[in-house]
């Protein structure tokens, strides 16, 4: 269960698209939650994955956990898969750690940029620190695993970071204080590379949709993510 404009759902969609796994995707309007959704997913949060295992229903939440579950399904893996199981496990641990410590703080930066038009100095500093850290992890537009393992290959960190970085990039020309003297060159190079990948293109959105959603929030008109995503092609008006 997803909404195509939800950055956390997008993480799962990218992993699904990479795996080419046959999973039924159901879209949910979060501004008007249907009764089937409330019954099947009492937490009301997206993304959510319903799995039937030996007659038992399991509902999985949290974009990272769902993405890891999807990756573990039969087929190719977005995690490094070499000959040695210990190396694989150690590398997976390092990758998961990087997502937790360096990518997840982007949520806070994105949230601030969506909601807070007049940030105080502490908020601006915090935004800049989070974004600079990520910018420095993709020097010259290399994928995240280059800095960690020395190979410029798309991996799990890239897919978890993409929906959040997309929003950071989308808001860069709106004159927000967060972006004053903030270097985004490496992230922009990284973004221009990753957005050309076929399975990424299949789920990517025009960045203007995030700008229009932000406008809706700023006008205090946000009541949850609606369907279809095309609704965000038009700018919100007072
Ligand atoms: N930590 C969660 C965050 C999920 C989340 O915040 N989802 C939002 C949509 S983007 C949601 O379902 N909100 C409920 C609502 O709007 O009613 C994850 O990574 O999956």
């Amino acid at each position: 269960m997803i909404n195509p404009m939800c950055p956390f759902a997008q993480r799962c969609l990218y992993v699904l698209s990479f795996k080419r796994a046959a999973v039924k995707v159901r879209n949910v309007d979060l501004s008007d939650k249907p009764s089937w959704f409330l019954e099947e997913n009492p937490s009301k949060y997206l993304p959510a994955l319903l799995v039937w295992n030996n007659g038992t229903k399991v509902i999985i939440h949290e974009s990272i956990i769902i993405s890891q579950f999807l990756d573990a399904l039969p087929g190719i893996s977005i995690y490094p898969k070499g000959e040695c199981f210990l190396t694989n496990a150690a590398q997976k641990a390092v990758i998961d750690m990087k997502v937790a410590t360096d990518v997840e703080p982007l949520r806070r930066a994105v949230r601030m940029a969506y909601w807070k038009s007049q940030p105080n100095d502490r908020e601006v500093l915090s935004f800049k620190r989070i974004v600079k850290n990520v910018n420095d992890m993709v020097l010259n537009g290399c994928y995240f695993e280059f800095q960690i393992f020395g190979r410029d290959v798309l991996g799990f960190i890239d897919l978890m970071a993409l929906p959040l970085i997309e929003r950071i990039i989308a808001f860069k020309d709106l004159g927000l204080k967060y972006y004053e003297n903030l270097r985004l060159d490496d992230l922009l190079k990284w973004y221009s590379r990753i957005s050309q990948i076929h399975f990424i293109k299949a789920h990517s959105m025009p960045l203007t949709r995030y700008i229009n959603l932000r406008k809706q929030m700023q006008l205090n008109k946000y009541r949850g993510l609606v369907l279809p995503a095309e609704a965000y092609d038009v700018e919100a008006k007072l």
Side-chain angles (χ1 to χ4, degrees), residues 6-8 30 33 44-47 62-63 107:
C6 163
F8 311 109
L30 285 172
K33 300 181 180 81
K44 305 179 193 150
Y45 263 86
L46 293 178
E62 288 303 314
S63 52
R107 286 170 183 257

Side-chain angles (χ1 to χ4, degrees), residues 3 5-9 11 30 33 37 43-47 61-64 66 104 107 222-225:
N3 180 292
M5 284 288 285
C6 163
F8 311 109
R11 287 174 159 175
L30 285 172
K33 300 181 180 81
F37 171 69
S43 91
K44 305 179 193 150
Y45 263 86
L46 293 178
H61 288 284
E62 288 303 314
S63 52
I64 295 173
I66 297 174
E104 287 300 82
R107 286 170 183 257
Y222 176 72
R223 304 285 175 265
L225 293 172

